[in-house]
């Protein structure tokens, strides 16, 4: 039987994008991500997949983002965005992996035929996509391969150019909600900037002037959109942009950006002569979907304000506003964390609102946050956002305040729904959100930091022969396999004041990660290295190669 797909067109174009042999591609939480110079065939096939996803969903617009976020400059990647601006449905991650690994053009067409049948795709439906890329040098040639994929299936494709990952997510939702009661905003980058800046200006109106904010743009695409946002903000908030060398080879994410600050726990070297004692600053990552704040105290000492600190600041503020608006009985605010959240933050938040712990990964956090009326989620790495349920949005627009104070708080809540990009973690949107809270509370970095004290913690990697034998439960906080190991960890943890430790397999490499915390730094380190040693010995690690620091 002849294929209903345009097999001839696909075949001709596919031959121009052959799959490299001996490479296995895997679509994970962040999509496909590897060295940019081996992704050509993947891009072509993702172009076809995005078009088929759109046909499956009745011609709704699907997003495609070409980025490798906080990875080194030579890497690149691609991910699909579903119609509401959310991550690709999990079942389709498998389809993506299957298509990417078809060894030949014939095998690809066979795999497409199977996908069309199993997913019940009506090929007569229209296909619509919107796509963008970050500033990586490999971007333009990969976009060309992606466009060949769109062409192969006859998709209607809109090029959003060079922009941030969160803007692309915003565009997808705005395009798909256009002309409906749930319209998310004008479907352009300009519409995004207008929406965020207008809400921000309303939220800080009447507050004392906000001191300028130093922003490290990681020499990535955040520099381009950040510059435009700065113009929109005018004199309500002056952004002093650094890390804007988007055309300098090798500069992207190199000793700068949110990931650098979080993992090395220090100031980006380029800011050492810029930041003054008492001043606050923040770092975006390479595609501007993560945000880490920090400040220098009066002695010039560096202090980091990570995703946990942002979550605590924001969640407590939203709880206050719902109370002030007279809505605390009707709207439940909840927060979602992973096991990596610092025990200090969990304790602080648990005293104020419901806290749920879920497995690591944005999709788990986002999904759990949807169960609250207002769900706040941030990973410690600075990726997160706030979700308002449609019922909550309805209540905010119909609620009749009975006092001027209630009216003010209600308006603040409504404007927060506009300043927050609810589709995905968005560094620029989250930055404005933080600045709103700091302005309302008259906080500097020091006051914010002192909401709670982080427990000293340590993260250790243990190389293991086979990570798949490690199975966890209770949101990855306890091991069920290897048998008996969790009991030994519990025994160790009991010896340390404020002790907590867990072991989980990495999602990407043959290592397990050990996280430990305790009330004293030396004890946190000792506990981490003891648990690491325990794990190494338990799975038969080579005594000759045992790291010296494992106790």
């Amino acid at each position: 039987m002849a294929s209903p797909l345009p097999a001839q067109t696909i075949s001709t174009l596919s031959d121009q994008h052959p799959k490299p042999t001996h490479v296995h591609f895997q679509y994970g939480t962040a999509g496909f991500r590897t060295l940019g110079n081996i992704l050509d065939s993947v891009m072509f096939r993702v172009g076809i997949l995005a078009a088929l996803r759109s046909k499956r969903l009745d011609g709704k617009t699907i997003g495609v983002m070409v980025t490798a976020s906080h990875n080194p400059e030579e890497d690149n990647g691609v991910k699909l965005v579903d119609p509401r601006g959310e991550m690709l449905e999990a079942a389709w991650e498998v389809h993506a992996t299957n298509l990417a690994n078809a060894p030949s053009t014939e095998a690809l067409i066979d795999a497409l035929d199977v996908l069309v049948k199993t997913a019940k795709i009506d090929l007569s439906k229209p296909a619509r996509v919107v796509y963008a890329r970050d500033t990586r040098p490999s971007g333009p040639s990969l976009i060309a391969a992606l466009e060949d994929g769109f062409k192969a299936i006859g998709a209607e494709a809109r090029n959003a150019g060079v922009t941030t990952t969160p803007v692309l997510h915003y565009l997808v939702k705005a395009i798909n909600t256009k002309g409906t009661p749930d319209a998310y905003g004008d479907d352009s980058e300009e519409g995004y900037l207008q929406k965020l800046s207008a809400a921000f200006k309303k939220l800080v109106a009447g507050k004392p002037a906000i001191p300028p904010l130093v922003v490290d743009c990681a020499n990535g695409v955040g520099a381009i959109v950040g510059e435009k946002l700065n113009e929109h903000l005018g004199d309500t908030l002056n952004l002093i942009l650094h890390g804007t060398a988007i055309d300098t080879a090798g500069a992207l994410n190199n000793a700068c950006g949110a990931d650098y600050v979080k993992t090395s726990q220090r100031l980006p070297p380029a800011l050492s002569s810029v930041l003054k004692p008492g001043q606050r600053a923040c770092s975006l990552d390479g595609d501007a979907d993560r945000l880490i704040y920090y400040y220098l105290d009066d002695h010039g000492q560096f202090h980091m304000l990570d995703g946990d600190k942002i979550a605590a600041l924001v969640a407590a503020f939203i709880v206050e506003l719902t109370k002030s608006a007279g809505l605390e009985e009707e709207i439940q605010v909840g927060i979602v964390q992973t096991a990596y959240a610092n025990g200090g933050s969990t304790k602080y938040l648990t005293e104020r609102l419901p806290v749920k712990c879920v497995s690591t990964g944005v999709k788990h956090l986002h999904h759990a946050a949807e169960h609250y009326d207002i769900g706040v989620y941030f990973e410690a790495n600075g990726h997160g956002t706030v979700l308002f349920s449609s019922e909550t949005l309805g209540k905010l627009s119909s609620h009749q305040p009975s006092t001027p104070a209630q009216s003010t708080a209600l308006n603040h809540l409504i404007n927060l729904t506009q300043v927050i990009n609810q589709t995905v973690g968005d560094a620029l949107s989250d930055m404005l959100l933080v600045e709103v809270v700091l302005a309302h509370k008259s906080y500097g970095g020091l006051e914010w930091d002192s909401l709670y004290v982080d427990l000293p913690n340590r993260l250790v990697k243990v190389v293991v022969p086979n990570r798949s034998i490690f199975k966890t439960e209770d949101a990855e906080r306890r091991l069920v396999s290897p048998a008996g190991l969790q009991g030994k960890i519990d025994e160790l943890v009991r010896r340390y004041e404020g002790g907590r430790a867990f072991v989980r397999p990495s999602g990407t490499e043959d290592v397990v990660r050990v996280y430990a915390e305790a009330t004293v730094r030396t004890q946190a380190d000792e506990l981490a290295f003891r648990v690491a040693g325990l794990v190494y010995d338990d799975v038969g690690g080579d005594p000759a190669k045992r790291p010296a620091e494992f106790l």
Side-chain angles (χ1 to χ4, degrees):
M1 180 193 117
S3 162
L5 284 158
Q8 192 49 58
T9 318
I10 293 172
S11 182
T12 308
L13 287 164
S14 174
D15 288 344
Q16 296 170 30
H17 303 282
K19 178 186 180 291
T21 47
H22 315 307
V23 181
H24 179 79
F25 298 107
Q26 181 71 43
Y27 194 103
T29 302
F32 292 111
R33 196 176 283 185
T34 183
L35 287 166
N37 61 10
I38 61 170
L39 277 168
D40 182 78
S41 63
V42 170
M43 292 294 162
F44 171 71
R45 294 163 184 207
V46 163
I48 297 175
L49 182 74
L52 291 176
R53 177 76 180 149
S54 173
K55 285 177 184 285
R56 177 67 185 84
L57 299 176
D58 239 7
K60 284 211 163 62
T61 298
I62 298 295
V64 182
M65 184 70 202
V66 177
T67 180
S69 193
H70 54 277
N71 281 32
E73 189 173 288
E74 60 273 16
D75 287 355
N76 215 324
V78 62
K79 64 174 186 175
L80 274 72
V81 179
D82 262 354
R84 291 185 306 141
E86 76 276 44
M87 295 164 76
L88 178 67
E89 185 189 311
W92 277 65
E93 293 181 7
V94 181
H95 302 322
T97 301
N98 286 344
L99 293 188
N101 292 300
S104 64
T105 291
E106 293 72 34
L108 171 64
I109 290 172
D110 288 345
L112 288 168
D113 273 330
V114 171
L115 170 58
V116 169
K117 288 191 187 76
T118 54
K120 300 185 174 62
I121 298 167
D122 178 351
L123 292 169
S124 67
K125 296 278 187 191
R128 299 186 182 96
V129 288
V130 58
Y131 60 105
R133 67 174 177 92
D134 69 11
T135 55
R136 290 165 196 272
S138 58
S141 66
L142 293 177
I143 285 284
L146 179 72
E147 288 170 338
D148 275 354
F150 299 150
K151 201 184 301 174
I153 204 111
E156 183 190 315
R158 170 178 161 185
N159 186 352
V162 177
T163 194
T164 67
T165 295
V167 166
L168 193 269
H169 281 257
Y170 166 90
L171 288 175
V172 174
K173 184 163 185 172
I175 291 166
N176 285 307
T177 56
K178 205 172 183 168
T180 72
D182 304 323
Y184 196 57
D186 182 69
D187 60 326
S188 63
E189 188 184 79
E190 177 62 26
Y192 162 90
L193 294 164
Q194 188 58 45
K195 179 180 176 180
L196 267 59
S197 57
F200 178 77
K201 286 173 183 173
K202 289 179 191 165
L203 282 158
V204 298
K207 298 289 169 205
I210 302 172
L213 173 65
V214 172
V215 184
D216 155 33
C217 301
N219 298 310
V221 69
I224 299 173
V225 182
E227 181 56 48
K228 295 173 187 171
L229 178 62
N230 212 5
E231 290 167 21
H232 278 266
L233 292 170
D235 48 14
T236 46
L237 173 61
N238 178 22
L239 305 176
I240 303 170
L241 303 178
H242 287 267
T244 58
I246 55 175
D247 299 318
T248 305
L252 178 69
N253 294 325
N254 189 358
C256 61
D259 207 52
Y260 172 83
V261 175
K262 176 64 181 163
T263 49
S264 64
Q265 308 207 358
R266 68 174 71 151
L267 203 59
L271 291 187
S272 56
S273 59
V274 174
L275 210 59
K276 306 281 181 281
Q279 204 174 7
R280 78 204 183 296
C282 64
S283 285
L284 326 175
D285 70 340
D287 65 338
D289 67 353
R290 290 183 181 189
L291 176 74
I292 297 284
Y293 262 77
Y294 37 92
Y295 70 100
L296 297 182
D297 64 21
D298 294 342
H299 305 292
Q301 183 75 34
F302 169 85
H303 298 268
M304 180 170 65
L305 298 153
D306 64 3
D308 291 342
K309 290 276 184 183
I310 295 172
L313 179 76
V314 167
F317 181 64
I318 292 174
V319 167
E320 278 176 31
L321 284 181
T322 52
K323 283 184 178 156
S324 303
L327 285 165
E328 76 265 41
E329 296 301 318
E330 293 177 55
I331 293 179
Q332 189 193 39
V333 185
I335 191 149
V336 187
Q337 296 186 319
T338 71
Y340 287 115
N342 192 279
S345 80
T346 307
K347 181 175 184 296
Y348 172 82
L349 288 163
T350 306
E351 289 163 2
R352 286 160 179 79
L353 68 164
V355 179
K356 185 169 173 56
C357 184
V358 298
S359 299
T360 308
V362 179
K363 56 185 166 192
H364 300 298
L365 288 145
H366 196 93
H367 184 66
E370 288 178 323
H371 292 294
Y372 292 111
D373 299 326
I374 302 177
V376 181
Y377 75 83
F378 274 87
E379 291 184 285
N381 65 25
H383 185 281
T385 188
V386 183
L387 304 181
F388 294 78
S389 72
S390 50
E391 292 78 17
T392 300
L393 294 174
K395 278 179 192 165
L396 294 178
S397 65
S398 65
H399 182 62
Q400 295 297 321
S402 50
T403 66
Q406 284 192 0
S407 180
T408 303
L410 180 66
N411 280 326
H412 289 333
L413 279 169
I414 290 167
N415 285 317
L416 280 185
T417 69
Q418 300 295 300
V419 91
I420 294 165
N421 184 353
Q422 296 175 54
T423 61
V424 71
D426 180 340
L428 293 170
S429 159
D430 291 337
M431 173 189 80
L432 295 180
L433 173 59
V434 165
E435 291 299 319
V436 164
V437 186
L438 297 180
H440 276 251
K441 308 290 287 180
S442 306
Y443 284 171
L446 178 66
E447 291 80 9
W448 173 11
D449 199 17
S450 56
L451 289 178
Y452 67 84
V453 178
D454 271 324
L455 284 171
N457 58 86
R458 169 72 69 167
L459 192 57
V460 181
K461 269 201 233 187
V462 185
V463 179
V464 293
N466 175 14
R467 72 177 189 266
S468 67
I469 62 169
F470 288 84
K471 301 273 190 278
T472 63
E473 62 178 2
D474 188 22
E476 303 180 311
R477 289 178 288 192
R478 298 188 65 76
L479 282 175
V480 286
S481 150
L485 187 53
Q486 185 61 51
K488 295 175 188 170
I489 294 170
D490 292 342
E491 183 54 44
L492 270 178
V493 168
R494 275 196 286 274
R495 300 183 204 165
Y496 295 85
E497 191 186 338
R500 177 170 81 95
F502 65 89
V503 176
R504 63 177 283 272
S506 160
T508 49
E509 47 187 333
D510 258 331
V511 300
V512 296
R513 302 187 197 281
V514 174
Y515 176 92
E517 58 188 31
T519 36
V520 186
R521 157 66 57 207
T522 50
Q523 299 241 307
D525 291 348
E526 186 182 302
L527 176 57
F529 289 126
R530 278 197 191 281
V531 173
L534 189 64
V535 169
Y536 189 87
D537 299 340
D538 196 85
V539 297
D542 181 352
K545 292 184 184 164
R546 193 179 196 272
E549 65 272 19
F550 288 8
L551 302 171

